[in-house]
Amino acid sequence: AISQALMFVVSNERFALQLSTVDETVSLKTESIMNTMDMQIIKLRNEMIPLMGLRSIIQNQNEMTDTKECSVIILNTSNNQKQGIIVDKLLGREEIVVKTLGTHLKNIKYVSGATIMGDGSVTLILDVNDLTESFSTIKFNYDEDVVGDTADSKLSDKSATEGPAEVSVKSKSILDTGI
């Protein structure tokens, strides 16, 4: 089957996500990511979005890259809760031919298929359902008296007060920009 995909790089490996599962992409400063409990979050347009670094899945590494900026892919989820994945670099949108993994490889977690690129290399297509199941569910309570986009939101967990109040982002809608 032919499909539109968002191509990106994590740990020098190219991956793809079905474009229909992507809400938007965001470029942000790594200092905008807040660490709370065992989770990373960003505040984007007054909404708290949990993040997961794909490096933690691919290489069992929790640390971010040494860069001062990173890219986040905001995913569409079945329960209408936004979730983001941190990637090293966005490559853009491509039309790909989706290949199934076959009977021996079909049970690999986080991978739904593969595609063969123009240069002959194989790119794995990540399974958004597996990725979103990996997120912990945290309920956030906002202080309704907070005014302005740069004010701190009060989280229900008092240990979640580290980090900046608001994310400074360059947001792009994948469908509108054709990146």
Side-chain angles (χ1 to χ4, degrees), residues 3-177:
S3 178
Q4 290 287 320
L6 175 63
M7 309 299 289
F8 57 92
V9 174
V10 176
S11 298
N12 296 320
E13 294 290 330
R14 186 172 34 192
F15 294 94
L17 279 171
Q18 297 279 344
L19 195 59
S20 61
T21 64
V22 176
D23 191 38
E24 67 181 303
T25 61
V26 179
S27 296
L28 52 91
K29 295 182 187 307
T30 54
E31 65 193 30
S32 299
I33 297 173
M34 296 178 272
N35 293 305
T36 174
M37 297 176 274
D38 293 331
M39 173 174 251
Q40 295 176 313
I41 57 173
I42 59 170
K43 183 179 177 190
L44 181 63
R45 294 190 276 302
N46 288 328
E47 187 174 1
M48 300 307 276
I49 300 174
L51 301 176
M52 175 176 49
L54 283 184
R55 285 176 173 256
S56 63
I57 293 173
I58 296 167
Q59 294 182 334
N60 287 329
Q61 292 181 344
N62 289 326
E63 64 268 0
M64 301 257 316
T65 59
D66 293 336
T67 62
K68 294 184 189 245
E69 291 194 10
C70 65
S71 296
V72 174
I73 301 170
I74 308 294
L75 302 174
N76 293 324
T77 62
S78 58
N79 60 2
N80 290 329
Q81 181 181 8
K82 291 185 179 182
Q83 297 171 334
I85 54 174
I86 302 168
V87 300
D88 295 342
K89 181 179 179 184
L90 295 171
L91 298 176
R93 176 172 59 180
E94 285 191 36
E95 194 168 87
I96 61 171
V97 177
V98 178
K99 302 283 188 181
T100 59
L101 294 176
T103 56
H104 297 310
L105 301 175
K106 71 178 181 179
N107 293 325
I108 296 176
K109 190 167 175 98
Y110 305 116
V111 179
S112 64
T115 188
I116 300 172
M117 304 305 295
D119 63 2
S121 64
V122 175
T123 297
L124 295 177
I125 302 166
L126 299 183
D127 185 335
V128 170
N129 291 329
D130 284 348
L131 289 172
T132 57
E133 285 175 11
S134 298
F135 284 90
S136 301
T137 304
I138 293 180
K139 302 244 187 230
F140 297 103
N141 295 325
Y142 297 100
D143 183 349
E144 294 181 10
D145 295 331
V146 173
V147 178
D149 290 339
T150 59
D152 275 327
S153 287
K154 302 213 183 198
L155 304 177
S156 60
D157 177 20
K158 299 210 191 251
S159 68
T161 58
E162 300 173 17
E166 181 70 26
V167 176
S168 170
V169 299
K170 296 179 219 161
S171 179
K172 299 176 186 169
S173 171
I174 297 299
L175 300 175
D176 295 336
T177 61

